[in-house]
Amino acid sequence: MDAASLQKVFGETFPEQDQCITVSAPGRVNLIGEHTDYNDGFVLPMAIDAKILLVGALRRDTQVRVYSVDFDESDSFDLQCIASSADRPWSNYIRGVCKLYPTETQSIPGGMDLVMQGNVPQGAGLSSSAALEIGTAVLIRELNGFSADGVTLAKLAQRAENEFVGVQCGIMDQFISILGEKDHALFVDCRSLDYERVPAPFKAADASIVVIDTGVKRGLVDSKYNERRQQCQEAVEALRTWQPELTSLRDVTPDLKARIEQLPAVSAKRARHVVSENERVLKSVRALKQGELQRFGQYMNASHDSLRDDYEVSCRELDLLVDLVRDNPETYGSRMTGAGFGGCTVSLVPTKEIPDIRSRVLSQYEKETGLAPRMFVFQAAAGARRV
Ligand code: ADP
Ligand code: MG
């Protein structure tokens, strides 16, 4: 649905409102830098050209009334006492952002009417949830004439998801959804939250980002994720033998890196992935700045191999998809993206190869696994903004 159509829905849903503001907020895919965020490391996501649109107007009271086109459901609540909703789970992302807005920005928003509709696939690991949170936060800012900056709203949206929805996500998704820029990726230092926009001139090079959802239900993901975090902590503690002040794998120096091989086998593997992945992100940034897509693709490949062999968070289906995409000799690179054990792969391919990927890769995958994969093609898009 485009902005004009959604504005029409807004007019029909709230006929007493005679003005409205429209904002859009994108989903995202992480190009490289996996399992580095909770190790104070580096990530390189890009915003995708799939987004959620919100159309809203202020009210004179403290009510919020919202209609979701995608769920064909409505909800309402009062800004003065916001509780979580059991029968409208999608509303909790909005409720959480509304509830935390005053604490995080020192500005008190008024009530509002809004409608929303999105085309970020939900639950596919492309962060439709962050798009919804950031869309809500930007709509509130624009409606009330506030001036909160992107980093503040990203922190607010992450807190809403952590505390109100109850999902322990890092800040990457919210960060890229608001700070993304067309034809750019976003290099983020997860410790300082310093960031830099990096050219991702895929379109100009007739290349595209292809995301394929394995269709694997990610049952193991929570327990394995916590186990990996724990193992990274153990590796840090073991490395303190040589560098007592070490607090995270981010700070492993070249001297200390040589010691990794002396750690117990599991600690060594986990540390090797995190340290090498951070290096790959830095090298990827340089490759993209020089327009070297081949080199960038090689780092994507190396990232996958490290996640598979050292971090051990891949699975048969992710490996199969990556191999099938790499079987096309023109593929720049292909890797799993997200926490692993299912979810999606991300690949950089020449746009003219997309028909091959769509027919050969998907059908072979389906034949070998019995699962129905979903494929999406993206370019690097702008972050959340008023449209
Ligand atoms: P992901 O972020 O990977 O897409 P999540 O489970 O974190 O998956 O978030 C998906 C949830 O976000 C949906 O179940 C829904 O509650 C909410 N959501 C996302 N997009 C929309 C939308 N367009 N309309 C209403 N709710 C949405
Ligand atoms: Mg999410």
Side-chain angles (χ1 to χ4, degrees):
M1 190 176 270
D2 62 9
S5 310
L6 191 62
Q7 286 157 2
K8 193 158 167 273
V9 173
F10 180 82
E12 289 158 6
T13 312
F14 303 110
E16 63 281 17
Q17 294 278 12
D18 52 13
Q19 283 179 352
C20 65
I21 280 178
T22 306
V23 304
S24 80
R28 65 95 187 93
V29 61
N30 191 22
L31 296 176
I32 194 163
E34 217 64 75
H35 287 281
T36 46
D37 56 347
Y38 53 83
N39 288 299
D40 280 349
F42 309 125
V43 292
L44 188 68
M46 75 170 208
I48 55 177
D49 40 356
K51 59 187 183 298
I52 188 161
L53 284 171
L54 300 97
V55 179
L58 282 182
R59 296 170 54 86
R60 284 182 221 285
D61 58 18
T62 54
Q63 289 291 309
V64 173
R65 296 188 298 175
V66 45
Y67 171 63
S68 159
V69 173
D70 298 310
F71 286 89
D72 189 20
E73 286 179 346
S74 298
D75 188 39
S76 63
F77 57 91
D78 193 309
L79 287 173
Q80 287 170 323
C81 55
I82 305 177
S84 112
S85 165
D87 60 336
R88 296 277 187 274
W90 53 265
S91 171
N92 288 327
Y93 300 90
I94 301 167
R95 288 169 178 243
V97 171
C98 289
K99 182 158 189 154
L100 289 164
Y101 206 97
T103 357
E104 288 290 304
T105 69
Q106 279 75 52
S107 305
I108 300 171
M112 59 183 173
D113 292 330
L114 69 128
V115 300
M116 60 189 201
Q117 197 276 327
N119 65 352
V120 184
Q122 293 176 26
L126 295 168
S127 217
S128 66
S129 58
L132 175 51
E133 292 146 14
I134 289 296
T136 304
V138 171
L139 182 67
I140 292 173
R141 180 182 71 189
E142 298 297 311
L143 284 175
N144 292 277
F146 297 151
S147 58
D149 63 22
V151 176
T152 302
L153 293 188
K155 286 182 181 165
L156 152 65
Q158 182 204 13
R159 241 190 105 187
E161 184 145 350
N162 290 168
E163 293 174 20
F164 206 83
V165 182
V167 175
Q168 292 311 310
C169 56
I171 200 170
M172 173 174 76
D173 303 355
Q174 291 78 12
F175 225 75
I176 178 66
S177 182
I178 196 159
L179 292 167
E181 191 176 300
K182 193 172 165 27
D183 296 323
H184 286 72
L186 191 72
F187 169 68
V188 185
D189 178 334
C190 296
R191 172 181 278 163
S192 64
L193 295 187
D194 287 342
Y195 61 91
E196 183 187 353
R197 296 189 173 101
V198 179
F202 305 142
K203 192 164 192 183
D206 295 320
S208 296
I209 289 292
V210 172
V211 172
I212 309 179
D213 186 349
T214 55
V216 175
K217 295 273 164 292
R218 301 188 298 161
L220 276 176
V221 93
D222 286 348
S223 62
K224 290 289 179 188
Y225 179 84
N226 291 333
E227 186 185 271
R228 291 299 176 278
R229 290 186 77 137
Q230 177 64 30
Q231 290 167 338
C232 288
Q233 201 45 47
E234 284 163 15
V236 167
E237 275 153 31
L239 287 166
R240 284 197 190 127
T241 313
W242 299 283
Q243 194 174 312
E245 70 283 12
L246 188 75
T247 57
S248 94
L249 291 174
R250 150 76 178 271
D251 298 314
V252 170
T253 55
D255 283 352
L256 194 56
K257 202 173 133 184
R259 302 287 188 184
I260 288 177
E261 304 312 319
Q262 291 168 250
L263 299 182
V266 171
S267 292
K269 284 180 159 199
R270 306 303 183 247
R272 214 186 297 137
H273 167 71
V274 174
V275 171
S276 65
E277 184 78 351
N278 278 328
E279 290 170 358
R280 278 187 292 273
V281 177
L282 295 174
K283 288 189 215 161
S284 294
V285 168
R286 286 199 288 274
L288 285 178
K289 283 181 176 170
Q290 291 161 358
E292 298 224 20
L293 298 195
Q294 299 277 8
R295 201 143 54 83
F296 175 63
Q298 286 161 9
Y299 299 136
M300 292 177 85
N301 287 340
S303 168
H304 182 80
D305 299 351
S306 172
L307 287 158
R308 181 191 60 208
D309 302 334
D310 279 339
Y311 218 62
E312 297 178 288
V313 291
S314 188
C315 62
R316 185 175 79 90
E317 294 82 359
L318 285 166
D319 292 342
L320 175 62
L321 270 183
V322 161
D323 288 342
L324 287 169
V325 173
R326 288 186 194 168
D327 281 345
N328 183 317
E330 296 201 49
T331 292
Y332 291 105
S334 183
R335 58 181 287 272
M336 56 159 278
T337 183
F341 304 105
C344 298
T345 62
V346 58
S347 311
L348 181 63
V349 301
T351 303
K352 66 177 172 50
E353 298 304 319
I354 285 173
D356 166 71
I357 310 269
R358 206 183 284 285
S359 58
R360 180 184 56 83
V361 172
L362 297 193
S363 60
Q364 188 64 27
Y365 178 81
E366 212 167 331
K367 205 166 115 193
E368 289 191 33
T369 62
L371 294 165
R374 288 189 294 171
M375 169 167 155
F376 312 96
V377 179
F378 299 119
Q379 292 293 337
R385 66 196 195 284
R386 195 166 162 171
V387 291

